[in-house]
Amino acid sequence: MNREAGGRGDEAPIPGLDGLELDALPQRDLWPDIEARLRPRRPLRRSGWIGYAAAASVAALVGIGLWEQRQDPVAGGVAQETAALPRAERATLMPYAPRESRALVKANLKIVDDAESQLRHALELDPESESLRRLLVSAQRQRRDLQRLVAQGT
Amino acid sequence: MSARAMGHSNPGGRGGVKGPMTAITWMTGLGREGGAGVQQATVPAATRPADEESDWVRRASAGDARAFERLYRAHLGRIFGLCLRLCDGDRARAEQHTQDAFVRAWEKLPGFRGDSQFSTWMHRLTVNLVLGEHRLLKRWVTFEEDSGGDDEAAALAGRIEHPQDRAAERMDLERALARLPKGARTVLMLHDIEGYQHEEIAALTGIAVGTSKAQLHRARRLMREWLS
C-alpha cells in the first residue's frame, strides 16, 4: 500500500468498489403510493402553447386597450373628473362613460381570465417552468389593472 | 470515470445492473432480508431489449401508467439502492425518496428526448432530487467533520456482520465504507461508484470542487489504511 501522503496511490480508486452490489429492494411494494400520486397525462405542448399564445394576445390587447384610453382625451378627461367625484355621483355618471372603452376593458378582462386559467393549468403540468410562472404573474398584474379600470367606471 | 459508470461495460448506463438484484449490505446491513416481500425482480435493465424499454418510455410519456409501472419495476432495485446509499442506509427515507423520484420521473418524462438511456436519466434525476433536498435541509454542513463519531461508525460497521456472508473481502470493503465520515463517503460513492466528476458533485452537493477532491482523497486514504 502506498502510504505517501497525497501520493499516486491515493489517486487511484479503491480496488473492488466497482464490484459492490448496488441494487436493493424495499420491504414493501411502493407502486400503489406512487400510482396514487401520478397526475393524468395531458398533452403538455398543446396546453403550453395555448397558454403562451393567450398570454401574448393578452399583453397585446390590454396594451392597446389601455393605450387607447389614455390617448382619447375625452375618455381620459372624463375618467379623471369622474374619479375625483364622490362615489355616489360617480355612479350616476357611469352610463355616460364611453361604451366602447368599457366593452374593450371587459373583453380584455375575459381574455386575461382565460389566459390565467390556461397558464395555471400549464403550470400544474410543468410546475418548474419559470417562463410560465412569469407569464402568470404578468397576466395577474394585467387582470388587476383591468379590474381597477372597471371599478373606476371607465 | 469508471468504465462501469461510463456504461462501457454495461448498457444500462451509469453503474447499471450487473446481475441478479441482491441485497445491498455495505450500509448497516440493510436489505439483509434480501428484499423479500411483495417486490418482484424483473428482468435486469442490462438484459432487456432496448426497443422494449423504449416502447415503455414512449407509452408512459403519452400517459400510459401501466407502461410506467413496467419502468418502475425494471429500475426499482437500482434506484432504491441508490437512495439507500444517499440516505446512509435509512430505509424509510430511501423509500420516500424512491417514490418521489418516480413521481418526478413521471412528470418529467415528456421532456425525455432519449439522448441518453432511461436508466442514466432516471439515475441523475434521483441524485438531483435527493441531494437537492439535502441541500435544502442543510444536511451537508458536516462535510468538514472528522471521522465522525467513531462510535457511531463502529456501531454501523458492527451491524454489517452476518454469518451467512461468504465474501469476506467485500465485507471488509463495505465495513470500511460504512466507517467513512459522511461527506467523504458521499463523494467517494458519487465519484468512484456512480461515476460523477468533481464538477458535477460540487453542483449536486453545493460544495466547492476543491472540497470534493479533498474529500475523495481523504476517503481513499482512509480506506487504504483500513483495508491494508
Side-chain angles (χ1 to χ4, degrees), chain A residues 1-45 124-129, chain B residues 4 15 17-18 21-22 24 33 35 38-39 60-63 65-66 68-69 72-73 77-78 80-81 85 91 95-96 98-100 103-104 106 108 110 170 173-174 177 192-193 217 220-221 223-225 227-228:
Chain A
M1 186 190 71
N2 186 345
R3 297 187 67 88
E4 294 176 10
R8 282 175 294 178
D10 288 338
E11 295 177 3
I14 302 298
L17 271 184
D18 56 355
L20 288 176
E21 289 297 337
L22 301 180
D23 288 27
L25 291 176
Q27 291 178 312
R28 66 182 183 89
D29 189 3
L30 303 180
W31 176 250
D33 290 340
I34 293 172
E35 186 179 26
R37 295 170 59 185
L38 300 183
R39 294 175 184 167
R41 179 86 74 221
R42 293 180 192 177
L44 173 61
R45 287 183 184 174
E124 285 178 7
L125 299 177
D126 190 7
E128 296 183 356
S129 170
Chain B
R4 180 182 68 178
V17 177
K18 289 174 59 67
M21 287 184 279
T22 61
I24 189 171
E33 306 84 347
V38 298
Q39 299 298 340
S61 183
R66 295 283 76 81
F68 188 70
E69 182 181 2
Y72 159 79
R73 301 267 178 224
R78 186 74 176 89
F80 181 74
R85 288 191 300 283
R91 292 192 75 91
E95 287 184 0
Q96 186 59 53
T98 299
Q99 290 187 41
D100 293 344
V103 172
R104 175 77 63 88
W106 170 259
K108 296 288 190 182
R170 186 185 71 180
L173 193 58
E174 291 170 347
L177 277 167
D192 286 354
I193 297 177
H217 175 80
R220 287 173 174 174
R221 177 175 55 78
M223 292 282 287
R224 289 185 202 283
E225 288 178 7
L227 295 173
S228 63

Side-chain angles (χ1 to χ4, degrees), chain B residues 40-205:
Chain B
Q40 297 295 323
T42 58
V43 177
T47 59
R48 186 182 315 108
D51 53 355
E52 182 180 45
E53 182 161 285
S54 296
D55 183 57
W56 294 347
V57 171
R58 181 183 53 78
R59 286 161 50 195
S61 183
D64 187 343
R66 295 283 76 81
F68 188 70
E69 182 181 2
R70 290 176 181 263
L71 290 171
Y72 159 79
R73 301 267 178 224
H75 294 278
L76 172 62
R78 186 74 176 89
I79 298 303
F80 181 74
L82 173 63
C83 292
L84 204 55
R85 288 191 300 283
L86 292 173
C87 295
D88 299 325
D90 186 331
R91 292 192 75 91
R93 281 174 52 206
E95 287 184 0
Q96 186 59 53
H97 284 314
T98 299
Q99 290 187 41
D100 293 344
F102 277 102
V103 172
R104 175 77 63 88
W106 170 259
E107 295 170 352
K108 296 288 190 182
L109 201 52
F112 175 63
R113 304 177 193 277
D115 297 338
S116 60
Q117 295 200 5
F118 177 80
S119 59
T120 304
W121 179 82
M122 184 73 206
H123 186 283
R124 177 168 287 275
L125 180 151
T126 302
V127 172
N128 273 317
L129 184 145
V130 177
L131 297 189
E133 182 191 295
H134 287 187
R135 283 199 306 274
L136 185 66
L137 300 178
K138 302 187 186 306
R139 283 184 176 148
W140 298 108
V141 294
T142 57
F143 255 88
E144 302 304 325
E145 69 185 1
D146 279 337
S147 180
D150 285 336
D151 289 343
E152 180 183 342
L156 290 175
R159 273 185 268 165
I160 290 178
E161 293 187 14
H162 195 278
Q164 295 182 3
D165 196 318
R166 288 168 288 184
E169 180 178 341
R170 186 185 71 180
M171 185 56 71
D172 286 341
L173 193 58
E174 291 170 347
R175 187 181 291 120
L177 277 167
R179 283 187 64 186
L180 284 172
K182 179 175 179 177
R185 181 172 63 244
T186 300
V187 173
L188 180 74
M189 182 193 74
L190 288 174
H191 189 277
D192 286 354
I193 297 177
E194 305 294 344
Y196 286 89
Q197 299 295 325
H198 287 293
E199 290 74 16
E200 295 173 300
I201 294 171
L204 286 166
T205 60

Side-chain angles (χ1 to χ4, degrees), chain A residues 18-92:
Chain A
D18 56 355
L20 288 176
E21 289 297 337
L22 301 180
D23 288 27
L25 291 176
Q27 291 178 312
R28 66 182 183 89
D29 189 3
L30 303 180
W31 176 250
D33 290 340
I34 293 172
E35 186 179 26
R37 295 170 59 185
L38 300 183
R39 294 175 184 167
R41 179 86 74 221
R42 293 180 192 177
L44 173 61
R45 287 183 184 174
R46 176 170 169 272
S47 60
W49 277 112
I50 287 175
Y52 281 107
S57 64
V58 163
L61 284 174
V62 171
I64 291 172
L66 290 176
W67 179 82
E68 286 181 346
Q69 290 186 34
R70 290 193 187 106
Q71 294 303 312
D72 185 340
V74 176
V78 169
Q80 289 174 2
E81 292 175 3
T82 303
L85 292 174
R87 185 186 180 88
E89 285 193 46
R90 256 188 287 152
T92 62

